[in-house]
Amino acid sequence: MSERLVTFPHMGEYWIAFETLVRELGATPLVPPRMTKHTLELGARHSPEFVCVPFKYNLGNFIESLEAGATVIGQAGGGCRFGYYAEVQEAILKDLGYEFELVNLTSSWSVGEFIADFKRIAPGASTLRIARAFAIAYRKAKALEAIEDRVRKSVGFEVERGAHDRVVSRFHQRLRDASGFRDTARLEETTLGELGAIPLDKPEQPLRVGVVGELYVLMEPFANHNLERRLAEHGIEVHRFVTLTSLIEHGIRSRPHVRKLLGDADPWVKYHLGADGTESVAMTWKLMQDGFDGMAHLKPFGCMPEVSAMSVLQRISREHTFPILFVSYDAQTAETGIRTRIEAFADMLAMRARGRTSA
Ligand code: SF4
């Protein structure tokens, strides 16, 4: 029997956590090749034209992994079109003639089903092993998020260009090799220390921008054309709250979380908008009141939850003269256009800040 090679979609640097998960389950991971234009072209060529762009990226990842020899695909899902990704992608890939098994984690509605799905990824894995694998992968995802959060807030002020990137690329390599909880925690602490030692030229009150929107384009820099980094390069402290582990935590306590979001989004939203739509409104409303200088709202073209959020955000922006950069992505989005808009947005924020201090 040929070896089971397990693959998954790319999303930022979370591949390190996914790779660990598969390995700790006792199966062999096949990390999809790094995202390139070719990945998107492949995905877009075989996807329904009007499907949201994360579907196309994921499909491109799967085709590249299958070509590299993957035999098992793990795919997640959510409460919007994301819930149908796995089924539709499986049908498309089978029509293309690939042979593989797709484990659809969307169908896990209880702990028992969840464990059964993981046993399909790694037949023979005990429940204890699955729980441990999940916990270690989760801890690594947390470490990634802690480091990325620090970088978003300080990379725009580094004195020596590239200093943060050097620390982060060493961190990724060491995180991949980290063997358990203690190792990961120690690595996170050391890396935060290394980042903290990088000389910065940061004003006491830097410009602060929050980034909200659809989860995939938020967390995959290739899909958002590196928007967070480009904002930071204009001397901006960038804040983002949607992360993989926050989504898992919110998914676990779904009802109380939605109730809280609706409270935070009051008086703008009465009913949950689906996916991260309500969160986009709640966070914008909160950060505006916390004195942030502006927001960036990112969404794939045609993403219904974020289209609904956008109309509310436009009202908040208009009625409170609060700058919000709206960016919509599809398979044709050009990098140059995004760069120009970020530049104009950053200039405008700096001008407003100068106006405030000279008033
Ligand atoms: S949140 Fe939007 S873009 Fe993402 S899967 Fe759902 S509908 Fe598509």
Side-chain angles (χ1 to χ4, degrees), residues 43 56 65 82 121 156 158 168 214 216 236-237 252 260 274 294 296 303 321 328 351:
K56 299 176 185 176
S65 288
F82 192 20
I121 291 180
E158 63 186 8
V168 170
E214 191 267 349
Y216 183 84
I236 293 174
E237 193 180 277
I252 291 170
K260 177 173 183 316
C303 166
T321 331
S328 192
M351 236 151 62

Side-chain angles (χ1 to χ4, degrees), residues 122-143:
S126 68
T127 303
L128 194 67
R129 181 166 195 168
I130 293 170
R132 187 173 184 279
F134 188 79
I136 294 178
Y138 188 84
R139 183 65 188 86
K140 287 199 179 184
K142 276 277 186 202

Side-chain angles (χ1 to χ4, degrees), residues 52 54 80-82 85 214-215 275 300 302-305:
C52 33
C80 52
R81 275 181 268 177
F82 192 20
Y85 275 24
E214 191 267 349
L215 66 103
C303 166
M304 278 321 289

